[in-house]
Amino acid sequence: AGRHHIHATTTMATMGALITAPSRRPGPLKTFSMIATLHYLTLLSAVSFVNPSSASATPPPNAGLHVSGGLINGGNTCYLNAQLQCAYHIPRVRGMIIDPPSVSKNSAASSPALASLGYVFAAMQKAADSGLDGGYEYAPSTPTTVLCRTLGIAAWEQQDSQEFWKLLLPEFKLPQLVDLYQGSYEGYIAAIDGSGRERKREEQFLDLSLDVSGGSVSTALEDTFCKPELLSEKEGNGWRPEKGADKVDALKGSLLKANGLPPILQLHLLRFQYDWQTDTMSKINSRFRFPKVLDLSNICSGIEKDEEARVVYELQSVVVHVGEYGSGHYYAYVRPDARKNTWYRFDDDKVTEVTYREVAADCYGGRSSRIAAQEAKEGFFAKLFRGSGGKYGWGGRSSSAYVLQYVRRESIPMLYDDA
């Protein structure tokens, strides 16, 4: 569950074959069946890309955010629900999916994935607006049956949340939407013998995969983009600049630049590792910190003064995995408005308003040092009746962030106001 990126030519059959799960490795998803195709045609005639402005003539006072009332778990569809909540609560993304740009409607109309998700998002928005004063408390939860049937997803099979969304995006056939998530970095190999020989290649990504062993996002990004690997000729892994040339010492690395950053930045935390000796997969639950405001000015190379605003991001949502490899559950923490500090936990059809402190305690993984310090001051009976759960966040000892979704601060007006 750690491939860097995919190409936009991925077919639905490929999507089904590649999506894998932290909970268990299922077989390939089914491609479109005759029933799914007929269902899709019926969906197109019924929905025809619903315009969100027509959902209610007099929207309630707090309807602007359209806070979801939750999504119903169809069996093991928590992985899908968590990612959809992250996407739905960005108005630009929600608007593109419900009512695709006019220049793309011809190609978008041929996308069953886009039509079915548009139907689900429109239903979520209508349900959100039906809540008391536009609030989520009394908003009904929305089923994702339409989407699952259209994509041929077996609702009882758990999948990997990160790979599901990354593979689904190109299926929308909506370049404007993909561009919100897609960025690029420069991969290079450069000889260090003073000859100036080097090789560069642009690599596109829909998310960046980060090693969690460093303990924080900043450390992981520095290791990925600021610390090149030495290819040593003496150690047998030198670089051969061209065919027939002798191997030379070289540096191999990646460079992140401001102009390669997308408006929506997803960071995939590599929580699952393969042990070559035991031939098994396991989950890394160690503590991994991430900032609420992510400043990449020290990570991006060659940044100009007028580019500084382009590298500052606000945390918008977190996909959490609780459990181990072989069993588990997904849910999400979302900030519907990136300019405010109001957070919600979306655990399928259960929606709860939370503080950011609760988000961090649950998503960092491992034991909370702050809570542990408080417990050290408690008496014997307080510890006895509280138990050991207080050392961890809401999800317990095995909960930790799996995907972090940031929005670029400079792009917030486009993502929220202009949608």
Side-chain angles (χ1 to χ4, degrees), residues 31-225:
T31 53
F32 292 126
S33 63
M34 181 65 72
I35 294 176
T37 303
L38 291 173
H39 177 78
Y40 165 59
L41 294 175
T42 304
L43 176 66
L44 275 182
S45 63
V47 179
S48 187
F49 300 109
V50 179
N51 189 327
S53 62
S54 64
S56 175
T58 55
N62 298 326
L65 294 179
H66 305 291
V67 177
S68 167
L71 290 168
I72 297 171
N73 192 326
N76 275 324
T77 56
C78 57
Y79 69 94
L80 178 150
N81 291 350
Q83 275 286 3
L84 294 190
Q85 293 290 6
C86 299
Y88 167 86
H89 286 96
I90 297 179
R92 169 67 66 174
V93 175
R94 180 174 67 238
M96 278 190 181
I97 291 175
I98 294 177
D99 189 25
S102 56
V103 294
S104 301
K105 279 190 176 179
N106 289 336
S107 60
S110 65
S111 168
L114 182 63
S116 57
L117 185 56
Y119 180 88
V120 173
F121 274 12
M124 292 172 68
Q125 182 166 292
K126 186 174 182 180
D129 292 346
S130 70
L132 183 63
D133 291 333
Y136 69 93
E137 294 93 338
Y138 298 98
S141 300
T142 304
T144 58
T145 310
V146 167
L147 180 64
C148 292
R149 286 180 178 175
T150 303
L151 299 183
I153 292 175
W156 59 88
E157 289 183 346
Q158 176 74 283
Q159 308 294 338
D160 184 290
S161 186
Q162 172 261 346
E163 286 195 349
F164 166 77
W165 182 248
K166 190 168 67 172
L167 291 167
L168 182 62
L169 266 175
E171 296 301 326
F172 294 143
K173 300 180 182 179
L174 199 58
Q176 298 96 321
L177 179 60
V178 174
D179 287 344
L180 294 180
Y181 292 85
Q182 185 168 274
S184 64
Y185 60 86
E186 180 182 280
Y188 70 90
I189 301 179
I192 56 176
D193 59 1
S195 64
R197 291 175 292 181
E198 62 179 1
R199 185 177 300 164
K200 298 179 180 180
R201 185 174 66 179
E202 184 182 48
E203 301 281 357
Q204 292 186 335
F205 66 84
L206 291 175
D207 61 27
L208 294 174
S209 296
L210 300 181
D211 183 359
V212 299
S213 61
S216 69
V217 162
S218 59
T219 300
L221 287 171
E222 287 175 7
D223 290 343
T224 303
F225 295 107

Side-chain angles (χ1 to χ4, degrees), residues 236-271:
N237 66 337
W239 175 51
R240 197 184 303 277
E242 57 271 334
K243 187 176 181 179
D246 293 333
K247 289 185 176 181
V248 298
D249 293 344
L251 293 177
K252 178 182 179 181
S254 301
L255 296 177
L256 194 62
K257 298 184 178 181
N259 59 8
L261 293 171
I264 303 172
L265 178 64
Q266 282 203 349
L267 303 181
H268 167 219
L269 309 187
L270 296 172
R271 287 284 182 183

Side-chain angles (χ1 to χ4, degrees), residues 287-350:
R287 204 153 183 78
F288 186 81
R289 297 178 179 275
F290 51 85
K292 188 176 176 184
V293 177
L294 178 64
D295 186 346
L296 297 174
S297 57
N298 293 327
I299 304 297
C300 292
S301 61
I303 186 170
E304 302 291 340
K305 186 70 176 177
D306 59 352
E307 293 179 317
E308 291 180 354
R310 292 179 55 84
V311 300
V312 179
Y313 285 79
E314 294 279 349
L315 184 65
Q316 181 264 341
S317 56
V318 184
V319 174
V320 180
H321 180 268
V322 58
E324 301 298 332
Y325 185 89
S327 65
H329 176 62
Y330 289 100
Y331 52 93
Y333 288 99
V334 179
R335 178 159 58 148
D337 189 338
R339 294 156 297 195
K340 298 180 180 179
N341 197 32
T342 304
W343 288 82
Y344 297 89
R345 180 173 57 243
F346 293 92
D347 182 17
D348 291 328
D349 57 345
K350 297 179 285 293

